[in-house]
Amino acid sequence: KQEVTQIPAALSVPEGENLVLNCSFTDSAIYNLQWFRQDPGKGLTSLLLIQSSQREQTSGRLNASLDKSSGRSTLYIAASQPGDSATYLCAVSPGYDYKLSFGAGTTVTVRA
Amino acid sequence: EAGVTQSPTHLIKTRGQQATLRCSPISGHTSVYWYQQALGLGLQFLLWYDEGEERNRGNFPPRFSGRQFPNYSSELNVNALELEDSALYLCASSLGTNSYNEQFFGPGTRLTVL
């Protein structure tokens, strides 16, 4: 059974600092990995998808890396802003199935 | 382009009743997924429908069921509601089995069981 872990559970940084969020998974036979953002009580917003054959993806201030062999992904958010405050979730999709297995998330607070 | 839509936004039921939740996928998407986000339990996979067929279900009792209609919209039914069914129910859609399976989520339905 795939287990997804996100560390730290919570993070508080001053505005302008770079954010580093970690995700690890136990089964390296994944199809892809997705990073999401969730605001309190809301649905999920897809941030980045990394296919299993890729090592990183970038979108604006966001960059996500994937190391399948070690079962790790890292989401970097450059020059954080108060609007980046949210819970960030990573999820992996196994090669044989399309359901997503989620980590518990990292709750980020960016202080103005 | 419209995103994934879900209705109702909120639903309040009592124990033993039935709840019906609805989801409309992004135009062109054939796969619909249902997830439960209960307090303290994280996001759990419930059901996956593609091209009208149930493709997979998570570790939930049979009183959780659903279907996908010819227009690819979907319905989740929860029978004999229990207090622990209170949660945010999220629907997602993707292009289906011949894609990279990037899933896009709706705003959710908050189900409260009293």
Side-chain angles (χ1 to χ4, degrees), chain B residues 4-8 11 18-25 30-35 46-50 52-54 56-57 62-79 89-92 109:
Chain B
V4 177
T5 59
Q6 292 186 245
S7 63
L11 193 55
Q18 179 198 40
T20 298
L21 288 64
R22 295 180 177 84
C23 172
S24 291
T30 62
S31 276
V32 170
Y33 311 81
W34 288 95
Y35 295 87
L46 258 169
L47 289 160
W48 168 31
Y49 292 95
D50 182 68
E53 301 285 332
E54 181 180 303
N56 199 3
R57 67 179 291 129
R63 56 192 187 80
F64 286 84
S65 66
R67 53 180 171 165
Q68 187 178 34
F69 299 99
N71 67 353
Y72 303 113
S73 67
S74 176
E75 204 171 80
L76 174 68
N77 295 292
V78 188
N79 294 319
Y89 288 83
L90 293 166
C91 170
T109 292

Side-chain angles (χ1 to χ4, degrees), chain A residues 48-51 53-58 63-66 76:
Chain A
L48 290 167
L49 177 141
I50 311 178
Q51 299 165 38
S53 58
Q54 298 175 317
R55 295 199 54 93
E56 68 175 336
Q57 275 286 0
T58 298
N63 173 276
S65 65
L66 174 64
Y76 301 90

Side-chain angles (χ1 to χ4, degrees), chain A residues 20-111:
Chain A
V20 180
L21 309 179
N22 298 300
C23 172
S24 62
F25 45 94
T26 53
D27 186 348
S28 63
I30 64 169
Y31 185 63
N32 62 39
L33 183 145
Q34 239 177 306
W35 281 96
F36 295 91
R37 168 191 171 128
Q38 185 174 32
D39 293 293
K42 306 292 185 184
L44 276 61
T45 300
S46 179
L47 298 174
L48 290 167
L49 177 141
I50 311 178
Q51 299 165 38
S52 60
S53 58
Q54 298 175 317
R55 295 199 54 93
E56 68 175 336
Q57 275 286 0
T58 298
S59 175
R61 294 185 294 114
L62 276 59
N63 173 276
S65 65
L66 174 64
D67 184 341
K68 256 184 55 173
S69 60
S70 66
R72 292 181 184 180
S73 177
T74 303
L75 178 66
Y76 301 90
I77 303 177
S80 61
Q81 304 167 359
D84 295 329
S85 298
T87 296
Y88 292 82
L89 297 151
C90 77
V92 295
S93 174
Y96 58 89
D97 196 347
Y98 279 40
K99 69 180 184 184
L100 292 175
S101 296
F102 283 85
T106 295
T107 299
V108 171
T109 302
V110 180
R111 308 185 305 270

Side-chain angles (χ1 to χ4, degrees), chain B residues 5 14 25 55-56 63 70 72 75 85 88 90 105 113-114:
Chain B
T5 59
T14 56
R55 300 295 185 181
N56 199 3
R63 56 192 187 80
Y72 303 113
E75 204 171 80
D85 296 334
L88 182 66
L90 293 166
F105 282 74
V113 183
L114 303 174

